[in-house]
Amino acid sequence: MSPHDSGSPGPGPVVSLRGVRVSRGGRTLVEDLDLEIEPGEFVAVLGPNGAGKTSLLKVLLGELRPDAGEVLVDGRAPGDRGTHLGYIPQQRAFDPGLTLRGRDLVALGVDGTRWGPGWPGRRAAKRRVVENSLARLEAGRLADAPVGRMSGGEQQRVRTAQAIACDPCVMLCDEPLLSLDLTGQRTVASVLDHRRREHDTAVVFVTHEINPVLPMVDRVVYLVDGRHRIGTPDEVFTSEVMSDLYSSPVEVLRVRGQIVVVGDTHHLVTEPWSTGHHHHDEDDHGGQR
């Protein structure tokens, strides 16, 4: 797999993991993981809390070195500044006193931080990219708002706008739907789906809530206690597969197009994810989590 010269992916997989092992605190989170992600593919990474979902993203970001195996992102070693990578981090409220505006935060995705290519000069073109990115997230009204005073949902929209502003060929998303109401969820999910369909951007989507994006998901990577299973949602979400992963009886139900997982293990998230249990009202200002 060779590096790409722009945000448009070249031939072959844009993410490649071969024989990857990841351990934290003496505990193996991922063992012997082989995974290749093609341009435009939407891969959901699921599992209980502490299973290694965020750690796997950190490996792809170059923040965490695997104990074994080979990892390439956009044809390069993880963390390479030339990588055309968009990143939506796990929700953390900004300091309420932060005066950085929404447009300034999005512009960082154009100018280039660690996760995006630099774009010196060309102010008018950069301004258009920032405005278009915010508009796609229906967040144009937040352009001049201080990010520290935005609600959690508003901040998440702006973070997503920043991630697409660098024209990525790979999007890494860590629980991007948290703090969003149902309208916000649909907006963010629609933007990610548009990126992968129109620009062949691969999406790696860490979540507890697959149902809001279920129609978009091509494959699932499910992590539990150092074990994993990779396949389509229909292949992974079966009572047999989930019981094997959890080493405990698990039943998978499909109710009105939603997946509900029910089990008797204490670390299994059993709620039907469509309930919105994890969501926060986007209009609820105050930033406390």
Side-chain angles (χ1 to χ4, degrees), residues 34-95:
D34 293 319
L35 175 65
E36 290 191 339
I37 300 176
E38 299 295 329
E41 190 173 11
F42 196 117
V43 176
V45 181
L46 295 108
N49 289 333
K53 302 184 297 295
T54 294
S55 294
L56 182 58
L57 279 196
K58 288 182 177 181
V59 168
L60 298 179
L61 289 166
E63 292 184 348
L64 178 64
R65 184 182 295 274
D67 300 277
E70 179 184 48
V71 181
L72 293 175
V73 180
D74 190 19
R76 299 172 172 87
D80 188 299
R81 285 191 62 89
T83 304
H84 292 84
L85 181 65
Y87 175 45
I88 307 175
Q90 198 167 97
Q91 175 72 37
R92 287 190 296 272
F94 288 105
D95 187 315

